[in-house]
């Protein structure tokens, strides 16, 4: 597999021109071979050994690799100045439970599950082309935190800056700082359900950045009529704006799809912030002021539900929160 794209060019802070050249060769070889691993990409045993020697922590650090990618990414943005930047963040895991050195590694969810969590923020342009990795965090859990419930590990009264969830807020705030350098561009930050918590929902402070989050909590909200309702109840009572057909993967399959007819609803709401947010370091000043004045944050909800699902199949239901005002069906469809 070969690539027709321009080769990636890194200028690292390693202080060694040979390491800089080797970094560029390794990255471009891996890109040319798509999802193949190191052995499949390089083939020759001597080249494989040189790759692993390059990754020795005495020579190359995690922060050094991250800063090299960020420098390259910012050069790309300065040159292209894309009108729309899409910021995607999510967490994945690396499991090394079968390795001989597993006892030296931190834990994942269980004591015998060893490895690392990796949280990535990736930037895309308006056509969905990946521009690069804007931020990355790597961590693991200690054995003393295992064997306890999630509420015991992270009590409700514990501020978000003491929880793992704060990574979503940090990455979002860094994206806002980046977008301040491109005031003519529009930014969209997208999170899955793990990002549905108050500190992130209240973090928006830059006008040219919007937040899109998939709903996880059916929280109490304020409607335009001033009444309090559960979020899913409010959007479920909204009229259907339209329908559209698409193809989705069959559950449990990697390539088989089925046609679905989806209905689209939208609903303006106000998210009421709890009093505890006033004491959180990650809460924006505007959100703290709204909390003190008992004001709610304006959001729009988009809900997509499957019409007439096949017998025995769980119907599609996607509920999304966005800070972007929605006017009609076409605005909602863009969010979906």
């Amino acid at each position: 597999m070969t690539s027709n794209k321009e080769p990636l060019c890194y200028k690292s802070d390693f202080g060694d021109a040979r390491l800089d050249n080797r970094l560029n060769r390794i990255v471009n070889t891996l890109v040319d071979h798509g999802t193949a691993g190191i052995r499949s990409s390089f083939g020759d045993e001597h080249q494989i050994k040189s790759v692993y020697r390059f990754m020795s922590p005495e020579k190359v650090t995690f922060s050094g690799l991250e800063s090299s990618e960020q420098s390259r990414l910012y050069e790309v943005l300065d040159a292209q100045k894309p009108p729309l930047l899409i910021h995607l963040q999510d967490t994945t895991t690396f499991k090394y439970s079968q390795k001989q050195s597993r006892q030296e590694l931190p834990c994942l969810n269980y004591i015998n599950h060893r490895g690392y969590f990796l949280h990535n923020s990736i930037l895309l342009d308006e056509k969905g082309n990946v521009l690069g990795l804007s931020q990355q965090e790597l961590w693991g859990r200690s054995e003393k935190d295992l064997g306890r419930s999630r509420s015991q590990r992270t009590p409700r009264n514990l501020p978000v800056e003491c929880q793992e969830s704060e990574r979503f807020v940090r990455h979002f705030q860094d994206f806002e700082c980046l977008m301040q350098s491109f005031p003519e561009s529009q930014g969209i930050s997208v999170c899955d359900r793990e990002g549905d918590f108050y500190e992130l929902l209240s973090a928006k402070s830059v006008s040219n950045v919007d937040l899109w989050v998939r709903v996880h909590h059916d929280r109490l909200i304020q409607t335009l009529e001033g009444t309090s309702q559960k979020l899913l109840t409010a959007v479920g009572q909204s009229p259907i704006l339209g329908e559209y057909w698409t193809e989705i993967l069959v559950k449990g399959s990697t390539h088989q799809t089925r046609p679905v007819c989806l209905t689209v609803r939208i609903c303006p709401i106000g998210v009421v912030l709890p009093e505890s947010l006033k004491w959180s370091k990650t809460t924006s000043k505007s959100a703290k002021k709204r909390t003190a004045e008992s004001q709610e944050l304006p959001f729009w909800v988009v809900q997509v539900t499957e019409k007439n699902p096949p017998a025995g199949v769980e119907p599609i239901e996607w509920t999304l929160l966005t800070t972007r005002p929605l006017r009609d069906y076409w605005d909602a469809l863009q969010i979906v």
Side-chain angles (χ1 to χ4, degrees):
M1 177 180 177
T2 58
S3 173
N4 295 323
K5 295 182 179 179
E6 289 289 325
L8 301 177
C9 183
Y10 289 92
K11 298 176 183 177
S12 71
D13 299 325
F14 300 145
D16 188 331
R18 294 173 300 174
L19 289 178
D20 292 349
N21 293 333
R22 193 175 300 173
L23 172 63
N24 282 282
R25 289 200 303 270
I26 290 173
V27 171
N28 282 288
T29 300
L30 291 172
V31 168
D32 288 343
H33 288 79
T35 58
I38 290 176
R39 287 194 167 274
S40 301
S41 299
F42 291 88
D44 183 82
E45 195 67 27
H46 295 290
Q47 293 189 43
I48 294 171
K49 287 183 178 179
S50 71
V51 173
Y52 284 112
R53 282 198 300 268
F54 172 80
M55 294 178 181
S56 170
E58 291 80 16
K59 297 180 180 179
V60 177
T61 62
F62 184 88
S63 59
L65 289 172
E66 184 183 29
S67 63
S68 300
E69 167 64 1
Q70 289 175 343
S71 298
R72 183 201 64 81
L73 177 60
Y74 295 156
E75 287 183 4
V76 170
L77 296 178
D78 282 333
Q80 295 185 5
K81 292 184 172 54
L84 177 67
L85 275 177
I86 303 172
H87 171 249
L88 306 179
Q89 56 169 319
D90 203 359
T91 307
T92 189
T93 57
F94 291 103
K95 295 176 67 175
Y96 300 104
S97 302
Q98 305 302 319
K99 303 297 182 182
Q100 291 182 352
S101 59
R102 62 184 180 274
Q103 295 304 324
E104 301 174 11
L105 299 175
C107 300
L108 296 173
N109 295 321
Y110 305 98
I111 194 167
N112 291 325
H113 287 184
R114 300 283 177 157
Y116 295 95
F117 294 98
L118 187 70
H119 191 73
N120 299 299
S121 284
I122 300 174
L123 293 185
L124 289 73
D125 63 15
E126 69 278 6
K127 296 181 180 178
N129 299 314
V130 177
L131 299 175
L133 184 72
S134 66
Q135 199 173 355
Q136 190 174 71
E137 291 186 49
L138 184 75
W139 80 96
R141 293 171 180 159
S142 63
E143 292 185 13
K144 66 180 182 180
D145 287 331
L146 303 179
R148 296 187 290 167
S149 67
R150 185 171 183 176
S151 61
Q152 288 174 315
R153 291 198 303 267
T154 54
R156 288 182 179 273
N157 60 348
L158 195 67
V160 72
E161 50 266 24
C162 300
Q163 302 181 30
E164 290 181 0
S165 301
E166 192 202 4
R167 65 189 185 274
F168 284 93
V169 182
R170 284 196 302 270
H171 285 224
F172 178 74
Q173 290 174 338
D174 286 345
F175 177 59
E176 285 197 322
C177 290
L178 172 67
M179 291 305 301
Q180 288 179 330
S181 302
F182 301 94
E184 301 302 319
S185 301
Q186 181 66 31
I188 299 169
S189 185
V190 183
C191 299
D192 206 347
R193 287 176 289 193
E194 197 176 359
D196 182 17
F197 59 97
Y198 286 114
E199 286 83 0
L200 180 59
L201 297 182
S202 63
K204 174 178 162 63
S205 60
V206 177
S207 59
N208 64 330
V209 174
D210 281 305
L211 179 65
W212 298 2
V213 179
R214 188 174 178 188
V215 170
H216 179 60
H217 301 290
D218 188 16
R219 56 173 52 85
L220 198 66
I221 52 94
Q222 292 286 329
T223 64
L224 286 182
E225 291 76 23
T227 60
S228 296
Q229 267 187 316
K230 284 297 187 75
L231 187 151
L232 295 181
T233 302
V235 70
Q237 293 173 349
S238 302
I240 295 176
L241 296 183
E243 300 175 355
Y244 75 100
W245 284 86
T246 188
E247 296 276 334
I248 66 161
L249 281 173
V250 174
K251 192 172 184 179
S253 173
T254 57
H255 61 276
Q256 185 181 359
T257 62
R258 66 181 181 90
V260 293
C261 179
L262 300 172
T263 61
V264 180
R265 291 181 168 91
I266 63 174
C267 177
I269 64 166
V271 175
V272 181
L273 300 177
E275 285 289 315
S276 59
L277 256 65
K278 289 193 295 186
W279 319 114
S280 176
K281 294 180 182 178
T282 56
T283 306
S284 64
K285 291 182 179 179
S286 59
K288 287 183 178 180
K289 183 179 178 181
R290 286 179 179 273
T291 305
E293 296 174 354
S294 299
Q295 296 181 11
E296 62 271 1
L297 292 175
F299 273 86
W300 284 77
V301 187
V302 181
Q303 188 178 70
V304 176
T305 53
E306 183 176 358
K307 184 179 180 181
N308 302 322
V313 175
E314 184 180 357
I316 295 295
E317 183 177 304
W318 302 325
T319 308
L320 312 168
L321 275 175
T322 178
T323 57
R324 172 178 289 192
L326 304 178
R327 297 165 299 179
D328 52 29
Y329 167 78
W330 300 108
D331 285 351
L333 208 58
Q334 185 186 29
I335 303 291
V336 177

